[in-house]
């Protein structure tokens, strides 16, 4: 995660929480996608199944495959992705081998492709008797950034290996810097068991240093055919020391994988 983005997101959410449109409680009546949870966890490795050769999707095609409001009950589309970098030249790391981790947390392709699309979904919390959410409750809503990237040939498999290698090589941490020169310090990276699914799946947790306080933030990278999906969840209240940092919601992951070809 890029701290500058996190700070901007916090400010945006806080400002939005003061508006009637943001704090008015609402619940989705839409049906969710497939709610079954696949807990299998496949470790990406040089011997992992190779994706079948094929033509990469276009960015427009990927955009149509992204989750939207109504796909999963309890989640609405969030505009936070507008604050994210649009290309890899807008961020850098002090250790080149850590780049795939940075890109996967920003909804950018972790592998060698420029074909991608991303979105952000926020958890909808029901309002109390007043029909409104407090600013604190609104900030506590979990936001999940979802990125899709598509590759020619075995590019998706190579992307998964790059992330796997990055988790190992960057276990001791790294520092990323955004286009404005704002640094984010990751003190530790650890592999963990995630929701799984697809043809290959990886999950990791980053220990993010926020003004001297360490906050664990969870990411998942999953390949399905020639498409790689990345998931990274943030709870803004956790960054303020007011709650736990959640793992990526299994319902979102399962529903997103179900939409991929």
């Amino acid at each position: 995660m890029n701290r500058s983005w996190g700070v901007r997101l916090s400010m945006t959410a806080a400002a939005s929480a003061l508006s009637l449109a943001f704090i008015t409680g609402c619940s989705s009546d839409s049906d969710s996608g497939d709610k079954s949870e696949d807990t299998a966890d496949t470790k990406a490795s040089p011997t992992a199944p190779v994706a079948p050769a094929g033509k990469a999707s276009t960015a427009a095609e990927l955009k149509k495959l992204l989750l939207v409001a109504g796909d999963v009950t309890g989640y609405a589309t969030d505009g936070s992705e507008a604050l994210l970098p649009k290309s890899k030249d807008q961020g850098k790391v002090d250790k080149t081998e850590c780049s795939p981790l940075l890109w996967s947390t920003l909804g950018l392709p972790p592998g060698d492709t420029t074909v991608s699309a991303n979105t952000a979904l926020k958890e909808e919390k029901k309002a109390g008797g007043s029909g409104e959410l407090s600013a604190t409750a609104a900030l506590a809503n979990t936001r999940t950034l979802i990125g899709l990237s598509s590759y020619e040939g075995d590019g998706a498999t190579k992307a998964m290996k790059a992330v796997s290698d990055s988790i190992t090589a960057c276990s001791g941490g790294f520092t990323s810097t955004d286009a404005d020169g704002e640094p984010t310090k990751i003190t530790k990276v650890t592999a963990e068991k995630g929701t799984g699914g697809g043809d290959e799946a990886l999950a990791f947790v980053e220990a993010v240093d926020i003004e001297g306080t360490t906050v664990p933030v969870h990411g998942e990278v999953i390949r399905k055919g020639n498409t790689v999906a990345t998931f990274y969840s943030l709870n803004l209240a956790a960054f303020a020391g007011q709650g736990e940092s959640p793992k990526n919601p299994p319902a979102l992951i399962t529903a997103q994988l179900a939409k991929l070809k």
Side-chain angles (χ1 to χ4, degrees):
M1 188 204 72
N2 185 285
R3 180 183 173 189
S4 179
W5 174 71
V7 171
R8 292 172 187 171
L9 178 56
S10 299
M11 293 175 65
T12 299
S16 298
L18 297 178
S19 69
L20 182 61
F22 188 85
I23 62 178
T24 297
C26 62
S27 60
S28 174
D29 294 326
S30 61
D31 294 330
S32 66
D34 180 4
K35 295 183 179 180
S36 63
E37 294 182 17
D38 183 352
T39 56
D41 206 28
T42 304
K43 182 178 181 181
S45 68
T47 58
V50 177
K55 184 176 178 59
S57 300
T58 65
E61 290 171 334
L62 288 181
K63 189 68 176 177
K64 293 179 180 178
L65 295 174
L66 284 169
L67 289 179
V68 296
D71 282 343
V72 181
T73 300
Y75 290 88
T77 303
D78 185 39
S80 303
E81 76 274 15
L83 301 175
L84 292 168
K86 301 304 180 184
S87 62
K88 294 179 178 180
D89 60 2
Q90 293 180 295
K92 61 182 180 180
V93 291
D94 61 342
K95 300 177 182 178
T96 303
E97 60 270 28
C98 301
S99 296
L101 274 177
L102 175 62
W103 306 140
S104 68
T105 63
L106 292 176
L108 293 172
D112 187 15
T113 184
T114 58
V115 181
S116 65
N118 60 36
T119 190
L121 298 180
K122 64 181 178 181
E123 178 185 18
E124 290 186 307
K125 291 187 179 295
K126 294 182 179 180
S130 65
E132 296 182 351
L133 285 175
S134 67
T136 299
L139 288 177
N141 284 8
T142 297
R143 287 167 167 77
T144 301
L145 173 66
I146 302 174
L148 299 180
S149 54
S150 186
Y151 303 78
E152 299 281 355
D154 63 351
T157 299
K158 290 180 178 178
M160 293 298 294
K161 184 180 184 303
V163 176
S164 179
D165 291 345
S166 191
I167 292 173
T168 300
C170 305
S171 61
F174 63 95
T175 299
S176 66
T177 307
D178 70 6
D180 296 326
E182 183 69 29
T184 297
K185 184 177 181 181
I186 309 298
T187 60
K188 184 178 180 181
V189 180
T190 307
E192 66 175 359
K193 185 175 180 61
T195 300
D199 299 314
E200 292 181 78
L202 292 166
F204 60 90
V205 56
E206 294 181 338
V208 183
D209 185 302
I210 303 296
E211 298 181 351
T213 299
T214 299
V215 178
V217 186
H218 304 270
E220 294 194 44
V221 183
I222 302 174
R223 176 179 71 81
K224 188 170 182 180
N226 286 344
T227 301
V228 173
T230 62
F231 304 86
Y232 200 65
S233 288
L234 295 169
N235 185 294
L236 304 179
F239 279 77
Q242 299 176 359
E244 295 294 325
S245 180
K247 287 190 175 183
N248 294 282
L252 293 185
I253 293 176
T254 301
Q256 180 60 82
L257 294 180
K259 293 189 73 171
L260 299 182
K261 298 179 181 179

